[in-house]
Amino acid sequence: MSQSKIFKNLAQHPRCTSAQYPQSTSMPSRRMKKTLIAAVGIGMAVALSGCNEDTGSGTDKDTGAAASKAPSAGSSQSSAPASPSGDQPLFSGWQTQTSQKHHFRYDVPAKAEKWKTLDEETALSYTDKNGQPIVVMTAAGNYREGGCASSPNPKAFGEAGKGQLATVGTTGGGKDGTLQENARNWAGNWGFAAYGGADHKPKIKVSEAKPWKHGGIDGYTATAQVTVTNHPSSCVPPKAVVHSVAQKLPDGTMHGWVIYADQGVPKALTDAQLKKIMSTVRSTGS
């Protein structure tokens, strides 16, 4: 199991850049564990990008302590109301997360269904070989935390290795690039960081960004399909999927909602379940 490590400050703010992922891209492969204000060391072999001001290369802006609250938002079709709003869950019994920082609100299933929402200020992060965060999310939630745990990366800390089958959260804060580029970059970056990193590059195919108009958000969504290439244990999934939603605020900053989920393992979220969660994503307003 991995050690626990808390960062007082989550690194320098990354610069937003243009899209780095063609429709089919080869990325790191081993499943890197997520961390609670901690990180997974992965020397990045590709230039990470995304309008993120929170860490190394595609994350949140004010992420800086052993806690960083902020709910997230999702994207997709679903049976939820066409224009969801408010801080109450759209589906009976679900839990609501709200990120005032990134202006997203979304819901996840009930605790009884093995979902856990984290404190809004808790930051989940992956780091590079120097220990600097490269991606960070806040206002997060985990699915089936504490399941089949493995620690394929010796540089994993904190929450890494607790066996989550899916994680969702919010990120962003920069102004560079377009919404389309950022939607693709966030999907690709998280697939890269969570499922391998530079030392164990997974194969990643990122879709073109598509308009996403739902819940008061006029943005874009993208999907990354990940094929994991390194399997140090049976706990590491063969595949994974990442969905992102990008929105632009009046001040010009771009913010994202991301969910990444193991696939091809017992209890993995289905496409229908992922879309239902994404359907709850809405804006918190100004």
Side-chain angles (χ1 to χ4, degrees), residues 59-129:
T59 60
D60 271 337
K61 184 170 183 177
D62 300 322
T63 316
S68 199
K69 299 177 180 179
S72 57
S75 79
S76 198
Q77 320 148 1
S78 88
S79 55
S83 299
S85 61
D87 58 4
Q88 295 303 308
L90 304 181
F91 297 104
S92 179
W94 282 36
Q95 308 171 75
T96 299
Q97 259 285 36
T98 300
S99 175
Q100 297 299 337
K101 174 181 176 181
H102 295 301
H103 298 265
F104 278 112
R105 181 171 286 127
Y106 69 98
D107 305 326
V108 295
K111 292 180 180 180
E113 294 183 53
K114 306 301 182 180
W115 274 92
K116 172 185 177 181
T117 56
L118 306 180
D119 185 84
E120 185 182 344
E121 293 183 358
T122 293
L124 302 185
S125 169
Y126 287 93
T127 61
D128 61 18
K129 60 183 180 181

Side-chain angles (χ1 to χ4, degrees), residues 10-206:
L10 279 181
Q12 307 298 316
H13 296 172
R15 179 174 63 82
C16 296
T17 60
S18 302
Q20 300 294 318
Y21 302 100
Q23 283 187 290
S24 181
T25 304
S26 199
M27 314 296 275
S29 96
R30 184 176 50 194
R31 176 187 181 180
M32 315 218 43
K33 300 334 175 90
K34 24 196 147 331
T35 74
L36 175 63
I37 315 218
V40 178
I42 56 177
M44 301 306 287
V46 297
L48 287 183
S49 63
C51 237
N52 304 296
E53 296 254 311
D54 273 339
T55 60
S57 165
T59 60
D60 271 337
K61 184 170 183 177
D62 300 322
T63 316
S68 199
K69 299 177 180 179
S72 57
S75 79
S76 198
Q77 320 148 1
S78 88
S79 55
S83 299
S85 61
D87 58 4
Q88 295 303 308
L90 304 181
F91 297 104
S92 179
W94 282 36
Q95 308 171 75
T96 299
Q97 259 285 36
T98 300
S99 175
Q100 297 299 337
K101 174 181 176 181
H102 295 301
H103 298 265
F104 278 112
R105 181 171 286 127
Y106 69 98
D107 305 326
V108 295
K111 292 180 180 180
E113 294 183 53
K114 306 301 182 180
W115 274 92
K116 172 185 177 181
T117 56
L118 306 180
D119 185 84
E120 185 182 344
E121 293 183 358
T122 293
L124 302 185
S125 169
Y126 287 93
T127 61
D128 61 18
K129 60 183 180 181
N130 298 314
Q132 296 300 309
I134 55 171
V135 288
V136 176
M137 63 167 57
T138 53
N142 288 325
Y143 170 58
R144 287 191 170 274
E145 184 179 280
C148 183
S150 68
S151 184
N153 192 321
K155 297 175 183 176
F157 296 100
E159 294 297 287
K162 287 193 173 181
Q164 299 94 325
L165 293 187
T167 293
V168 58
T170 58
T171 189
K175 294 184 178 181
D176 292 347
T178 65
L179 277 177
Q180 295 96 314
E181 290 170 341
N182 279 283
R184 297 190 72 226
N185 289 337
W186 280 320
N189 289 353
W190 280 94
F192 177 89
Y195 295 97
D199 294 335
H200 301 279
K201 302 177 181 178
K203 296 178 181 178
I204 298 180
K205 181 182 290 185
V206 183

